[in-house]
Amino acid sequence: SQQGEEDPQALSIQEGENATMNCSYKTSINNLQWYRQNSGRGLVHLILIRSNEREKHSGRLRVTLDTSKKSSSLLITASRAADTASYFCATELFAGGTSYGKLTFGQGTILTVHP
Amino acid sequence: GAGVSQTPSNKVTEKGKYVELRCDPISGHTALYWYRQSLGQGPEFLIYFQGTGAADDSGLPNDRFFAVRPEGSVSTLKIQRTERGDSAVYLCASSLSGNSYEQYFGPGTRLTVT
């Protein structure tokens, strides 16, 4: 079953604009990770944010995590055509004092950046 | 350095046949994961190895699916009596250790059951 849900399912923007994708989940997590996937390079890890963190940056990427709302967002600033891909959030569950290592992915957001 | 590799990249088999999919993780990574991805969906967890042992096989859909990692490095996912519903991209990932480490994914094996 899919724990995470990304919103929107598809996003189309112009180069230079910012892109924001959201992810909601249902159960307690140890961390949340964002991945990018395109046909040429498979799944690429972008950023990991732990449950006790609220915001993380990596280059043009900014991720926020709100554990009270069970939601996360990924912001890509100054987008480029090369950012065109599917973006997935994935959660590592935490239950009974144990984190499980395995990731539960959402269905993804398809981002298209037009030159 | 070398990433996660998977072979074959594509596999076409007939319904009822047996297939083996191989994963070579990043050297030194003790944790290895198998996922399955259907078209338009996110990857779905199958099994997780820590070292040689399967720490969590709760995602295997039924007893036709089995995976091994005998020496704590290379892993093989085995599917018996394949069905058309098994058609998907099978992804392998490795991480430095289980829990709270980013996972590095291989390019996947596209399995088509005709």
Side-chain angles (χ1 to χ4, degrees), chain B residues 9-44:
Chain B
S9 55
N10 279 284
K11 176 71 177 177
V12 181
T13 190
E14 292 180 350
K15 180 173 175 293
K17 299 289 188 183
Y18 168 83
V19 296
E20 288 190 354
L21 312 179
R22 176 189 166 109
C23 171
D24 251 295
I26 293 172
S27 177
H29 281 192
T30 63
L32 184 146
Y33 305 81
W34 283 99
Y35 294 85
R36 178 170 71 172
Q37 187 176 24
S38 300
L39 194 63
Q41 303 291 317
E44 187 175 24

Short mmCIF file of all heavy atoms in Angstrom, two decimals, chain B residues 9-44:
data_model
loop_
_atom_site.label_atom_id
_atom_site.label_comp_id
_atom_site.label_asym_id
_atom_site.label_seq_id
_atom_site.Cartn_x
_atom_site.Cartn_y
_atom_site.Cartn_z
N SER B 9 19.09 -6.11 -17.76
CA SER B 9 18.34 -4.86 -17.77
C SER B 9 16.91 -5.09 -18.24
O SER B 9 15.99 -4.40 -17.81
CB SER B 9 19.03 -3.82 -18.66
OG SER B 9 19.22 -4.34 -19.96
N ASN B 10 16.76 -6.08 -19.10
CA ASN B 10 15.44 -6.46 -19.60
C ASN B 10 15.32 -7.97 -19.60
O ASN B 10 16.29 -8.66 -19.93
CB ASN B 10 15.21 -5.96 -21.03
CG ASN B 10 14.80 -4.51 -21.06
OD1 ASN B 10 13.68 -4.17 -20.76
ND2 ASN B 10 15.75 -3.66 -21.41
N LYS B 11 14.15 -8.47 -19.24
CA LYS B 11 13.92 -9.91 -19.27
C LYS B 11 12.49 -10.16 -19.75
O LYS B 11 11.54 -9.65 -19.16
CB LYS B 11 14.12 -10.51 -17.88
CG LYS B 11 13.82 -11.99 -17.78
CD LYS B 11 14.86 -12.83 -18.47
CE LYS B 11 14.59 -14.31 -18.30
NZ LYS B 11 15.58 -15.14 -19.05
N VAL B 12 12.39 -10.91 -20.83
CA VAL B 12 11.08 -11.31 -21.33
C VAL B 12 10.96 -12.82 -21.12
O VAL B 12 11.86 -13.57 -21.50
CB VAL B 12 10.90 -10.97 -22.82
CG1 VAL B 12 9.50 -11.41 -23.28
CG2 VAL B 12 11.10 -9.48 -23.05
N THR B 13 9.91 -13.25 -20.48
CA THR B 13 9.73 -14.66 -20.21
C THR B 13 8.28 -15.05 -20.43
O THR B 13 7.39 -14.21 -20.45
CB THR B 13 10.17 -15.00 -18.77
OG1 THR B 13 10.21 -16.42 -18.60
CG2 THR B 13 9.18 -14.42 -17.76
N GLU B 14 8.07 -16.34 -20.60
CA GLU B 14 6.71 -16.83 -20.79
C GLU B 14 6.08 -17.14 -19.44
O GLU B 14 6.77 -17.55 -18.49
CB GLU B 14 6.73 -18.09 -21.65
CG GLU B 14 7.14 -17.83 -23.09
CD GLU B 14 7.14 -19.11 -23.91
OE1 GLU B 14 7.01 -20.20 -23.31
OE2 GLU B 14 7.27 -19.02 -25.15
N LYS B 15 4.79 -17.00 -19.41
CA LYS B 15 4.02 -17.33 -18.22
C LYS B 15 4.36 -18.74 -17.76
O LYS B 15 4.44 -19.67 -18.57
CB LYS B 15 2.53 -17.21 -18.54
CG LYS B 15 1.58 -17.53 -17.42
CD LYS B 15 0.15 -17.21 -17.86
CE LYS B 15 -0.86 -17.61 -16.81
NZ LYS B 15 -0.96 -19.06 -16.60
N GLY B 16 4.60 -18.89 -16.46
CA GLY B 16 4.90 -20.19 -15.91
C GLY B 16 6.38 -20.48 -15.75
O GLY B 16 6.77 -21.43 -15.06
N LYS B 17 7.23 -19.67 -16.37
CA LYS B 17 8.67 -19.90 -16.30
C LYS B 17 9.26 -19.33 -15.01
O LYS B 17 8.64 -18.54 -14.31
CB LYS B 17 9.37 -19.25 -17.50
CG LYS B 17 8.95 -19.78 -18.85
CD LYS B 17 9.46 -21.19 -19.07
CE LYS B 17 9.18 -21.62 -20.51
NZ LYS B 17 9.60 -23.01 -20.74
N TYR B 18 10.50 -19.74 -14.75
CA TYR B 18 11.26 -19.29 -13.57
C TYR B 18 12.26 -18.22 -14.02
O TYR B 18 12.89 -18.36 -15.06
CB TYR B 18 11.96 -20.51 -12.99
CG TYR B 18 13.02 -20.22 -11.95
CD1 TYR B 18 12.65 -20.01 -10.63
CD2 TYR B 18 14.37 -20.19 -12.29
CE1 TYR B 18 13.61 -19.77 -9.66
CE2 TYR B 18 15.34 -19.95 -11.33
CZ TYR B 18 14.96 -19.75 -10.02
OH TYR B 18 15.91 -19.50 -9.07
N VAL B 19 12.42 -17.18 -13.21
CA VAL B 19 13.40 -16.14 -13.55
C VAL B 19 14.22 -15.79 -12.33
O VAL B 19 13.77 -15.91 -11.18
CB VAL B 19 12.74 -14.86 -14.11
CG1 VAL B 19 12.06 -15.13 -15.43
CG2 VAL B 19 11.81 -14.22 -13.11
N GLU B 20 15.44 -15.35 -12.59
CA GLU B 20 16.33 -14.85 -11.55
C GLU B 20 16.80 -13.46 -11.94
O GLU B 20 17.24 -13.24 -13.08
CB GLU B 20 17.54 -15.77 -11.38
CG GLU B 20 17.23 -17.10 -10.74
CD GLU B 20 18.50 -17.87 -10.38
OE1 GLU B 20 19.60 -17.41 -10.75
OE2 GLU B 20 18.38 -18.92 -9.73
N LEU B 21 16.75 -12.54 -11.00
CA LEU B 21 17.21 -11.17 -11.21
C LEU B 21 18.34 -10.91 -10.23
O LEU B 21 18.21 -11.22 -9.04
CB LEU B 21 16.06 -10.17 -10.99
CG LEU B 21 14.73 -10.50 -11.67
CD1 LEU B 21 13.69 -9.44 -11.33
CD2 LEU B 21 14.89 -10.62 -13.17
N ARG B 22 19.39 -10.29 -10.72
CA ARG B 22 20.59 -10.14 -9.90
C ARG B 22 20.83 -8.69 -9.54
O ARG B 22 20.59 -7.79 -10.36
CB ARG B 22 21.79 -10.71 -10.65
CG ARG B 22 23.13 -10.53 -9.95
CD ARG B 22 24.29 -10.93 -10.87
NE ARG B 22 25.57 -10.47 -10.34
CZ ARG B 22 26.50 -11.27 -9.82
NH1 ARG B 22 26.27 -12.58 -9.74
NH2 ARG B 22 27.64 -10.79 -9.38
N CYS B 23 21.36 -8.48 -8.34
CA CYS B 23 21.70 -7.13 -7.88
C CYS B 23 23.09 -7.14 -7.26
O CYS B 23 23.39 -7.96 -6.40
CB CYS B 23 20.68 -6.64 -6.85
SG CYS B 23 21.15 -5.10 -6.04
N ASP B 24 23.92 -6.18 -7.73
CA ASP B 24 25.24 -5.98 -7.16
C ASP B 24 25.23 -4.64 -6.42
O ASP B 24 25.18 -3.59 -7.05
CB ASP B 24 26.28 -5.90 -8.28
CG ASP B 24 27.17 -7.11 -8.32
OD1 ASP B 24 27.91 -7.29 -7.36
OD2 ASP B 24 27.09 -7.85 -9.32
N PRO B 25 25.27 -4.65 -5.09
CA PRO B 25 25.17 -3.38 -4.36
C PRO B 25 26.49 -2.62 -4.37
O PRO B 25 27.50 -3.13 -4.84
CB PRO B 25 24.84 -3.86 -2.95
CG PRO B 25 25.53 -5.18 -2.84
CD PRO B 25 25.42 -5.80 -4.19
N ILE B 26 26.46 -1.44 -3.84
CA ILE B 26 27.68 -0.66 -3.67
C ILE B 26 28.56 -1.36 -2.63
O ILE B 26 28.06 -1.82 -1.59
CB ILE B 26 27.35 0.78 -3.23
CG1 ILE B 26 26.63 1.51 -4.38
CG2 ILE B 26 28.60 1.54 -2.81
CD1 ILE B 26 26.07 2.86 -4.01
N SER B 27 29.84 -1.45 -2.93
CA SER B 27 30.76 -2.15 -2.04
C SER B 27 30.73 -1.51 -0.64
O SER B 27 30.80 -0.28 -0.50
CB SER B 27 32.17 -2.06 -2.62
OG SER B 27 33.11 -2.66 -1.75
N GLY B 28 30.61 -2.38 0.37
CA GLY B 28 30.61 -1.88 1.74
C GLY B 28 29.24 -1.60 2.31
O GLY B 28 29.10 -1.36 3.51
N HIS B 29 28.22 -1.62 1.45
CA HIS B 29 26.86 -1.39 1.92
C HIS B 29 26.31 -2.69 2.50
O HIS B 29 26.24 -3.70 1.83
CB HIS B 29 25.97 -0.90 0.78
CG HIS B 29 26.14 0.55 0.49
ND1 HIS B 29 25.26 1.25 -0.33
CD2 HIS B 29 27.06 1.45 0.90
CE1 HIS B 29 25.65 2.51 -0.39
NE2 HIS B 29 26.74 2.65 0.34
N THR B 30 25.89 -2.62 3.77
CA THR B 30 25.41 -3.84 4.42
C THR B 30 23.91 -4.07 4.17
O THR B 30 23.44 -5.18 4.28
CB THR B 30 25.66 -3.78 5.93
OG1 THR B 30 24.92 -2.70 6.50
CG2 THR B 30 27.13 -3.61 6.23
N ALA B 31 23.18 -3.01 3.89
CA ALA B 31 21.74 -3.13 3.70
C ALA B 31 21.41 -3.18 2.20
O ALA B 31 21.98 -2.43 1.41
CB ALA B 31 21.00 -1.96 4.34
N LEU B 32 20.51 -4.09 1.85
CA LEU B 32 20.09 -4.23 0.46
C LEU B 32 18.59 -4.41 0.42
O LEU B 32 18.00 -5.13 1.23
CB LEU B 32 20.79 -5.44 -0.17
CG LEU B 32 20.55 -5.69 -1.68
CD1 LEU B 32 21.79 -6.27 -2.33
CD2 LEU B 32 19.34 -6.53 -1.94
N TYR B 33 17.97 -3.73 -0.55
CA TYR B 33 16.51 -3.72 -0.64
C TYR B 33 16.08 -4.08 -2.06
O TYR B 33 16.73 -3.70 -3.03
CB TYR B 33 15.95 -2.32 -0.36
CG TYR B 33 16.39 -1.72 0.95
CD1 TYR B 33 17.63 -1.12 1.09
CD2 TYR B 33 15.54 -1.75 2.07
CE1 TYR B 33 18.04 -0.57 2.29
CE2 TYR B 33 15.94 -1.19 3.27
CZ TYR B 33 17.19 -0.60 3.37
OH TYR B 33 17.59 -0.05 4.57
N TRP B 34 14.96 -4.77 -2.16
CA TRP B 34 14.31 -5.00 -3.45
C TRP B 34 12.95 -4.29 -3.42
O TRP B 34 12.20 -4.38 -2.43
CB TRP B 34 14.09 -6.48 -3.69
CG TRP B 34 15.31 -7.25 -4.12
CD1 TRP B 34 16.12 -8.02 -3.33
CD2 TRP B 34 15.84 -7.34 -5.44
NE1 TRP B 34 17.13 -8.58 -4.08
CE2 TRP B 34 16.98 -8.19 -5.38
CE3 TRP B 34 15.47 -6.82 -6.68
CZ2 TRP B 34 17.75 -8.50 -6.50
CZ3 TRP B 34 16.24 -7.13 -7.79
CH2 TRP B 34 17.35 -7.96 -7.70
N TYR B 35 12.66 -3.61 -4.53
CA TYR B 35 11.38 -2.96 -4.73
C TYR B 35 10.85 -3.36 -6.10
O TYR B 35 11.60 -3.78 -6.98
CB TYR B 35 11.52 -1.43 -4.71
CG TYR B 35 11.94 -0.84 -3.38
CD1 TYR B 35 13.29 -0.75 -3.05
CD2 TYR B 35 11.00 -0.35 -2.47
CE1 TYR B 35 13.70 -0.20 -1.84
CE2 TYR B 35 11.40 0.21 -1.26
CZ TYR B 35 12.75 0.28 -0.96
OH TYR B 35 13.14 0.83 0.24
N ARG B 36 9.56 -3.16 -6.29
CA ARG B 36 8.93 -3.41 -7.58
C ARG B 36 8.13 -2.18 -7.96
O ARG B 36 7.42 -1.61 -7.11
CB ARG B 36 8.02 -4.64 -7.48
CG ARG B 36 7.27 -4.98 -8.73
CD ARG B 36 6.60 -6.32 -8.62
NE ARG B 36 5.46 -6.35 -7.73
CZ ARG B 36 4.64 -7.39 -7.61
NH1 ARG B 36 4.87 -8.49 -8.32
NH2 ARG B 36 3.62 -7.36 -6.78
N GLN B 37 8.25 -1.77 -9.22
CA GLN B 37 7.55 -0.57 -9.67
C GLN B 37 6.73 -0.87 -10.91
O GLN B 37 7.28 -1.28 -11.93
CB GLN B 37 8.55 0.56 -9.95
CG GLN B 37 7.89 1.89 -10.27
CD GLN B 37 8.88 3.02 -10.45
OE1 GLN B 37 10.04 2.82 -10.76
NE2 GLN B 37 8.42 4.25 -10.22
N SER B 38 5.44 -0.64 -10.79
CA SER B 38 4.55 -0.78 -11.94
C SER B 38 4.39 0.58 -12.60
O SER B 38 4.64 1.62 -11.99
CB SER B 38 3.19 -1.31 -11.50
OG SER B 38 3.34 -2.57 -10.88
N LEU B 39 3.95 0.57 -13.84
CA LEU B 39 3.85 1.80 -14.62
C LEU B 39 2.95 2.82 -13.93
O LEU B 39 1.84 2.51 -13.52
CB LEU B 39 3.29 1.46 -16.01
CG LEU B 39 3.42 2.55 -17.07
CD1 LEU B 39 4.89 2.85 -17.33
CD2 LEU B 39 2.72 2.14 -18.35
N GLY B 40 3.47 4.03 -13.77
CA GLY B 40 2.69 5.11 -13.19
C GLY B 40 2.58 5.07 -11.67
O GLY B 40 1.86 5.88 -11.08
N GLN B 41 3.31 4.15 -11.05
CA GLN B 41 3.25 4.02 -9.59
C GLN B 41 4.63 4.26 -8.99
O GLN B 41 5.65 4.21 -9.67
CB GLN B 41 2.79 2.61 -9.21
CG GLN B 41 1.46 2.21 -9.77
CD GLN B 41 0.32 2.98 -9.16
OE1 GLN B 41 0.29 3.20 -7.94
NE2 GLN B 41 -0.61 3.42 -9.99
N GLY B 42 4.63 4.49 -7.68
CA GLY B 42 5.91 4.55 -6.98
C GLY B 42 6.42 3.15 -6.69
O GLY B 42 5.65 2.18 -6.74
N PRO B 43 7.68 3.00 -6.39
CA PRO B 43 8.22 1.69 -6.04
C PRO B 43 7.53 1.13 -4.81
O PRO B 43 7.14 1.86 -3.90
CB PRO B 43 9.70 1.98 -5.76
CG PRO B 43 10.00 3.23 -6.52
CD PRO B 43 8.74 4.04 -6.44
N GLU B 44 7.40 -0.21 -4.80
CA GLU B 44 6.74 -0.90 -3.70
C GLU B 44 7.75 -1.87 -3.09
O GLU B 44 8.33 -2.69 -3.80
CB GLU B 44 5.52 -1.64 -4.24
CG GLU B 44 4.64 -2.26 -3.20
CD GLU B 44 3.39 -2.86 -3.84
OE1 GLU B 44 3.43 -3.19 -5.02
OE2 GLU B 44 2.38 -3.00 -3.13
#
